[in-house]
Amino acid sequence: MSKTRNYAQILIGSWLFLTAMAIYLSLWVAPLDFQQGGNSRILYVHVPVAWMSILVYIVTAINTFLFLLTKHPLFLRSSGTGIEMGAFFTLFTLVTGGFWGRPMWGTFWVWDARLTSVFILLFIYLGALCFQKLSVELASILICVGLIDIPIIKFSVNWWNTLHQPGSISRFGTSIHVSMLIPILSNFANFLFLTCLLFVIEIRLLILSFLESSLTEEIEAREGSLRA
């Protein structure tokens, strides 16, 4: 408990610092795009939350797979948190993308390959949330099977003729200017620390539930011995 408390304090401080830095860099330091104007600032949030929706899904799939193998409650608790966070990030990705697309494409939504695959990802998250109330095993299987959508999201801009441009960041470098890349990375770090913080809190809650159950069993055992 003491370690998770220390981790939580460090993450809270780091998250608050990154939040302030990300807001400052996105609103006052990053230059306006000469074509998009102020609308380009939406991308400093849209791109990081899109990355987080995929990253959280991969981590959640790993946790659910480990839960199916071990039935350990820690993996179950972590996957539940990941599904909730992933659903939020995916929905936020679609909303911010719509607000960016309205002035750039003339509409909030098109059945673009990437938009459609991300939309499917949201339904996978929501389906897993619903299935958790019926069967955690069924929800875990859905998350594992839904992994097939991740490469589709990633490579949809290369496989099909979409409105989205190809990826700007790859192992060969980036086409994004550093003045715009830094705000994107700072926002990504901000969301990443927030997610880690929530996972640590869930671990603390799980440990507390174990301690409470152990204490309850000990009290009941003592009361039983006194009655005997």
Side-chain angles (χ1 to χ4, degrees):
M1 286 297 294
S2 61
K3 288 185 178 180
T4 55
R5 181 179 60 189
N6 293 335
Y7 293 153
Q9 291 174 347
I10 293 173
L11 288 171
I12 290 173
S14 301
W15 174 62
L16 292 174
F17 170 76
L18 287 170
T19 300
M21 184 176 69
I23 292 174
Y24 174 71
L25 291 174
S26 301
L27 295 180
W28 288 285
V29 175
L32 297 179
D33 184 83
F34 76 98
Q35 289 182 326
Q36 303 178 38
N39 193 52
S40 63
R41 299 197 187 279
I42 299 177
L43 296 178
Y44 300 141
V45 176
H46 172 71
V47 174
V49 295
W51 291 347
M52 287 301 304
S53 67
I54 296 175
L55 177 61
V56 170
Y57 192 94
I58 295 173
V59 174
T60 302
I62 294 173
N63 278 317
T64 53
F65 179 73
L66 293 175
F67 168 72
L68 290 173
L69 289 179
T70 65
K71 302 299 181 183
H72 196 286
L74 176 61
F75 297 126
L76 177 61
R77 195 76 174 251
S78 298
S79 62
T81 302
I83 292 172
E84 294 172 356
M85 290 296 297
F88 167 77
F89 283 129
T90 307
L91 178 61
F92 202 24
T93 298
L94 294 172
V95 171
T96 54
F99 279 106
W100 178 86
R102 180 64 180 87
M104 300 306 301
W105 295 342
T107 180
F108 286 104
W109 180 265
V110 291
W111 291 102
D112 174 90
R114 168 142 310 169
L115 284 174
T116 304
S117 55
V118 173
F119 190 57
I120 292 173
L121 181 65
L122 176 62
F123 270 89
I124 295 174
Y125 274 125
L126 295 179
L129 283 174
C130 295
F131 286 148
Q132 275 190 326
K133 300 177 181 179
L134 302 174
S135 170
V136 292
E137 287 80 6
L138 185 59
S140 299
I141 293 173
L142 174 61
I143 288 293
C144 291
V145 173
L147 271 173
I148 194 174
D149 191 43
I150 300 303
I152 295 176
I153 294 174
K154 170 63 178 176
F155 298 107
S156 59
V157 293
N158 304 112
W159 293 344
W160 294 286
N161 183 22
T162 70
L163 289 176
H164 279 82
Q165 66 181 32
S168 301
I169 300 177
S170 67
R171 66 178 184 272
F172 302 109
T174 175
S175 60
I176 304 176
H177 192 269
V178 65
S179 62
M180 296 182 175
L181 180 62
I182 291 177
I184 291 176
L185 295 179
S186 63
N187 274 297
F188 175 71
N190 175 30
F191 294 129
L192 182 62
F193 271 78
L194 174 61
T195 304
C196 292
L197 173 61
L198 293 176
F199 274 106
V200 170
I201 292 174
E202 285 296 325
I203 293 174
R204 284 180 58 84
L205 292 175
L206 182 62
I207 294 174
L208 283 174
S209 65
F210 283 150
L211 292 176
E212 289 176 357
S213 61
S214 300
L215 181 60
T216 302
E217 292 176 357
E218 183 179 352
I219 292 174
E220 291 177 350
R222 289 183 179 181
E223 289 178 350
S225 62
L226 290 175
R227 290 173 183 173

